[in-house]
Amino acid sequence: MFNKAIVRRPGKSLVKGITTAGLGPPDYQLALKQHDAYIKTLESCGLSVTVMEADEDYPDGMFVEDVALLMPGLAVITRPGADARRGETVSMEKALREFFDQIEIIEAPGTVDAGDIMMVGKHFYIGLSERTNAAGAEQMIGHLRQYGYDGSTVTISEGLHFKSSVSYLENNHIVVTGELVEKPELENFYPVVISTDGAYSANSVWINNSVLVPSGFPQTSQSIAALGYEVIELDVSEFQKLDGGLSCLSLRF
Ligand code: CIR
């Protein structure tokens, strides 16, 4: 169960965020509205939400999931793979000091975006991607082991992050798409397989038996509801324009 979340408001500079989506620039006012609805939804799932102010120096700053990995008793501050995002960790570390006594930090030459990390109980699957390198994953696993957790790596070649293509819904269920459908590392999970046209919805978020699913993917919603979860659809079109999904917009703990 989660009881808290941290989000950061989008700034006007979001139009300068990193993207490969080719969907045009996001609309700031609409992004704010979608972000408001996202916060309300987290609250409706029982989370107390800390809202950090926008930081105009970091156009991708609202994608807070990438800059820290949180678990009971430990926060690890990452070292984001994109240069333009590296400084996002400074304010996040400050915010997390309120909640965590134990904080570890990924150092150069390691890079980690926590969007590449999927938590399954005490085990963390770490995607090796364009953003997360082997040195970063090795440091991360070292920190995890020190605190009674463990981790393993999965090499990926499609999508921005590992969790762009797979989400853990608890109860051994995953939502999965693309190359990850066939990955031996994930073969013991019960998969909801998403076709390539619905790939964006493979980034869904389990929160206390509800699952947030991006709107516009009825097949995904139906398949997840059929497993017994309450599905909540949310429109995050403006964040999709920056390659961001539902999970990236919050840190849940
Ligand atoms: C980036 O390229 O870093 C941002 N535009 C999108 C980050 C999305 N984060 C995530 O999937 N965890």
Side-chain angles (χ1 to χ4, degrees), residues 17-19 60 63 65-66 82 85 113-115 131 160-161 164 203 242-245 247-248:
I18 306 167
T19 185
D60 287 298
F63 298 123
E65 181 182 57
D66 294 320
R85 300 199 57 190
D113 279 12
R131 299 288 178 86
L160 173 61
H161 288 126
S164 309
N203 181 266
L242 298 176
D243 296 335
S247 73
C248 330

Side-chain angles (χ1 to χ4, degrees), residues 169-215:
L169 304 185
E170 304 298 316
N171 312 302
N172 214 43
H173 296 140
I174 55 172
V175 186
V176 64
T177 193
E179 62 173 339
L180 297 186
V181 173
E182 300 297 335
K183 281 279 174 192
E185 292 92 332
L186 302 177
E187 72 187 3
N188 290 328
F189 294 105
Y190 177 86
V192 172
V193 175
I194 309 291
S195 63
T196 325
D197 0 328
Y200 182 68
S201 64
N203 181 266
S204 290
V205 187
W206 178 93
I207 304 178
N208 305 344
N209 215 45
S210 295
V211 178
L212 316 190
V213 178
S215 54

